[in-house]
Amino acid sequence: MSYIEDTICALATPPGMGAIGVIRLSGPKAIEIANSIYKSPKAGKSLLDAKGQTLHFGSIVDGDQLVDEVLLSLFRAPHSYTGEDVIEINIHGSTFIQRRMMELLIKKGARPARAGEFTMRAFGNGKMDLSQAEAVGDLIASESEAAHQVAMHQMRGGVREEVSKLRQELIDFASMIELELDFGEEDVEFADRDRLHELLDAVQKTVVRLIGSFTLGNAIVEGIPVAIVGAPNAGKSTLLNALLQEERAIVSDIAGTTRDTVEDEIHLGGLTFRFIDTAGLREATDEIERIGIERSYAKIEQAKVVLYLFDSNDIDTTEELNRIDAIKAKAGNKPVVVIANKTDKLSETDVIDSLPVDVRLSAKEKSGIEELEELLLETVDMKGLNANDTVITNARHYEALLRTQEDVDRIRTGLNTGLSGDLVAFDIRQALAHLGEITGEITTDDLLGNIFANFCIGK
Ligand code: GDP
C-alpha cells in the first residue's frame, strides 16, 4: 500500500498543558528520524541498533539546542500497534515542547498524521479487523462502565469472532448446496435437507441474536433517554434536581477529581441515563395546552423509559387512573415508572393505595430517590449480559446484519421453494459479502475514510 511509505507523527495525548505528553511516530523512517534528534547520556549509543520493545532515556536536541529530556519507547515492525516501526516519545507536557517536537519531526521528514491514521495502518497491516479498529474509537469515547466493557470486548475481537463463526456456518451451508449442484443433474439423493435447515437455523439464530443486542448496545453507548412527565407542579423539576444533585455529590466525593458533570445525566449501575427536558402534562383545554401535551408526548417518543409523577396530595383517583393509563398507552412497550410525589405532606395514604404506584417519594426531602434509581436501573434489561457477550453497538454493523438477515430469509425461501442451487449460492455469497463489511474484508476507500475521519488525531 502506497501510504505506508510515509512516516507519520502526531501528539497522541490531548493538546495543552499536562505532566506528560506523548508524541507518536510510525513508518519506515520512524527510528531513523527519532535517532536524528535523540542524544543518549551514553556516548555513542544509537537507536538504529536498538532492539524492539525497548525504553530509552535521553535528550531531544535540535542541533545544539536542548529541547527536552524524554523517555522514548521503540517498537520494531511488525510488533507494534500499527505493525510498522513505531517510536513513542514521552515529553514534558508543555504546549511549547509539543509544538517544538512536532516541528522538529516534520523538519526531519515525518508528516503530520491524519485523524485515525495510526489505527488505519494497524487495520491495513492486518493487526486488527475493522470492527476492532472501530472499537478503539468507541473505547476512547466510552463514558460509562458498560460502554467501556462492550468496547473492550469488541476491541479484543468479540464481534470479529461472532462474524467469522457466522461466515463459517454459511460456508458449511454453501458446501452442502454445492454438493447438490455437482450431482443435481444425476438426480441423486445428495444433501440432507434436514441438515441444510439445521445449518440455516443456526445462522439465523446468531444473526437474530446480534441484531437484537443492538437495542441494548445503542442504549449503552448513547445513554438511556428518560422522560419525566406529569402535570404542572407535580414536582418534575424538583425530582430532576434531586437525581442530579445526588450524582454531583457522588462525583465530587471522588477526591481530587475535577470532572465536569454533564448537566442532565446520571450514572447508575455502569449505565448513563439522560433526562429529556419535559413540559407539564394536563388535559388539553385550549390550543396552548394542547401544544404542551404534544411536547410531552414527543418527549415520551424520544425516551426509552418514562417517569410519570403526580402530586399525591392533590388527586382525584379516577382522573389519575385515566392519566396513568393514557401515559402507558402512549408509552407502548416502553417501561413507565409511576411515582407518587410529595409524600412528606401526605397524611392519608388511602388515595394512592388504590393506584398502580411503583414508588412513593418526596422529591423535596430527597426521600425515596434511591428506590427510584433502583427501579430505573431495572427497566434496562441487562440480564444475562456478561463481560464476554457480544453486543452490537455500531450502527454500521447493525445495518450490515439487517442486510445479512434479508439474505438469509431469501436463502430459506429459495430452499423451501426448490430454487436452483446456483441461485441459492448467489444469496449465500451476498450474505458473506454483507458480513465481510463488518470485519472490513470487503470495504471501499470511502467507507474507510469515513470511519477513520471520526477518530482523533494521534489515534
Ligand atoms: P414541576 O412543575 O412539575 O416541574 O414542579 P416543580 O418541581 O417546580 O414543583 C412544584 C412545587 O412543588 C414547588 O413549589 C416544589 O417545591 C414543590 N414540591 C416538589 N416536590 C415536592 C415534595 O416532594 N414535597 C413537597 N412538599 N413539595 C414539593
Side-chain angles (χ1 to χ4, degrees):
M1 265 177 250
S2 63
Y3 67 83
I4 303 293
E5 309 271 294
D6 294 352
T7 295
I8 53 174
C9 62
L11 179 67
T13 41
M17 204 167 73
I20 291 168
V22 176
I23 302 256
R24 217 179 210 181
L25 201 57
S26 179
K29 291 204 163 142
I31 297 174
E32 188 187 317
I33 291 172
N35 191 58
S36 72
I37 57 169
Y38 170 80
K39 208 169 144 214
S40 167
K42 260 190 254 158
K45 181 184 153 186
S46 158
L47 296 176
L48 295 179
D49 32 60
K51 285 203 181 107
Q53 299 182 329
T54 51
L55 201 59
H56 306 268
F57 175 73
S59 316
I60 296 295
V61 289
D62 183 9
D64 294 340
Q65 201 194 3
L66 175 67
V67 178
D68 197 8
E69 281 200 337
V70 301
L71 256 189
L72 183 151
S73 331
L74 184 149
F75 304 86
R76 288 196 181 269
H79 304 293
S80 71
Y81 180 71
T82 57
E84 306 173 329
D85 285 349
V86 168
I87 296 280
E88 284 181 5
I89 312 175
N90 291 7
I91 57 171
H92 288 100
S94 96
T95 49
F96 172 74
I97 298 177
Q98 290 164 6
R99 206 171 49 238
R100 198 69 178 73
M101 284 295 298
M102 285 297 288
E103 281 167 5
L104 198 52
L105 291 171
I106 293 162
K107 194 168 91 184
K108 297 290 181 181
R111 125 173 116 63
R114 289 186 286 268
E117 200 171 0
F118 291 92
T119 308
M120 191 162 172
R121 288 186 175 198
F123 167 66
N125 290 326
K127 298 295 284 189
M128 53 178 80
D129 81 340
L130 199 53
S131 69
Q132 289 172 291
E134 287 170 301
V136 174
D138 294 344
L139 187 68
I140 296 169
S142 64
E143 286 185 351
S144 69
E145 186 182 338
H148 170 265
Q149 180 184 314
V150 291
M152 190 63 108
H153 177 65
Q154 186 178 328
M155 192 178 77
R156 302 185 69 186
V159 171
R160 188 197 59 203
E161 270 167 37
E162 291 276 3
V163 168
S164 55
K165 183 175 145 233
L166 264 176
R167 286 175 68 96
Q168 193 50 52
E169 284 168 352
L170 276 169
I171 288 164
D172 291 349
F173 180 79
S175 58
M176 286 195 76
I177 289 279
E178 255 145 43
L179 213 64
E180 187 169 330
L181 270 179
D182 290 346
F183 294 95
E185 285 174 17
E186 297 163 29
D187 207 19
V188 187
E189 209 25 64
F190 39 87
D192 175 353
R193 288 269 140 185
D194 289 344
R195 181 78 189 113
L196 273 179
H197 277 286
E198 267 173 35
L199 278 171
L200 204 54
D201 286 346
V203 172
Q204 194 154 27
K205 212 172 121 198
T206 313
V207 174
V208 166
R209 174 169 55 80
L210 291 177
I211 288 175
S213 75
F214 183 65
T215 311
L216 177 61
N218 196 43
I220 287 174
V221 172
E222 302 293 332
I224 296 139
V226 183
I228 303 183
V229 295
N233 293 323
K236 298 181 293 298
S237 321
T238 312
L239 178 64
L240 179 59
N241 280 332
L243 287 162
L244 294 178
Q245 263 168 35
E246 193 159 295
E247 171 83 0
R248 281 190 206 109
I250 291 167
V251 173
S252 58
D253 273 353
I254 306 168
T257 55
T258 52
R259 183 179 178 275
D260 291 332
T261 52
V262 183
E263 274 304 300
D264 56 354
E265 280 183 5
I266 60 169
H267 297 92
L268 299 174
L271 289 169
T272 305
F273 291 85
R274 254 185 315 111
F275 293 97
I276 306 170
D277 174 35
T278 55
L281 181 69
R282 210 199 280 161
E283 282 297 292
T285 47
D286 59 24
E287 190 60 22
I288 294 166
E289 268 308 315
R290 207 178 59 77
I291 293 164
I293 287 172
E294 275 172 9
R295 269 229 308 260
S296 200
Y297 278 180
K299 300 295 178 196
I300 293 178
E301 252 155 48
Q302 290 168 35
K304 284 231 161 63
V305 180
V306 180
L307 303 187
Y308 170 71
L309 78 164
F310 61 86
D311 179 346
S312 16
N313 301 281
D314 175 27
I315 45 171
D316 170 312
T317 317
T318 323
E319 203 176 287
E320 200 46 59
L321 259 178
N322 287 341
R323 282 185 180 165
I324 294 173
D325 285 347
I327 294 286
K328 286 191 171 167
K330 188 69 204 169
N333 50 20
K334 292 172 188 173
V336 178
V337 180
V338 178
I339 304 167
N341 189 27
K342 307 197 191 181
T343 50
D344 55 300
K345 281 203 304 191
L346 196 65
S347 48
E348 187 58 69
T349 64
D350 289 3
V351 210
I352 51 174
D353 284 344
S354 61
L355 290 169
V357 169
D358 297 304
V359 58
R360 300 168 185 210
L361 54 80
S362 164
K364 196 171 172 183
E365 312 266 289
K366 299 191 183 56
S367 66
I369 302 293
E370 275 178 24
E371 201 186 331
L372 171 63
E373 290 181 340
E374 271 163 35
L375 283 175
L376 198 53
L377 197 54
E378 277 171 25
T379 60
V380 186
D381 188 8
M382 293 275 287
K383 284 190 283 294
L385 178 68
N386 301 309
N388 289 326
D389 287 345
T390 300
V391 176
I392 298 298
T393 56
N394 183 306
R396 196 182 68 79
H397 301 173
Y398 175 67
E399 270 162 36
L401 284 164
L402 286 181
R403 271 179 271 144
T404 308
Q405 190 177 34
E406 287 165 15
D407 300 329
V408 171
D409 287 346
R410 259 199 310 278
I411 296 169
R412 189 181 293 282
T413 313
L415 201 62
N416 289 338
T417 57
L419 196 69
S420 79
D422 47 351
L423 290 177
V424 175
F426 176 80
D427 288 331
I428 297 171
R429 276 195 294 278
Q430 287 286 304
L432 287 171
H434 284 138
L435 288 173
E437 284 176 14
I438 298 176
T439 47
E441 272 143 59
I442 292 158
T443 55
T444 61
D445 285 349
D446 278 357
L447 174 69
L448 290 182
N450 270 333
I451 291 171
F452 289 105
N454 289 325
F455 274 57
C456 42
I457 292 185
K459 196 63 231 176

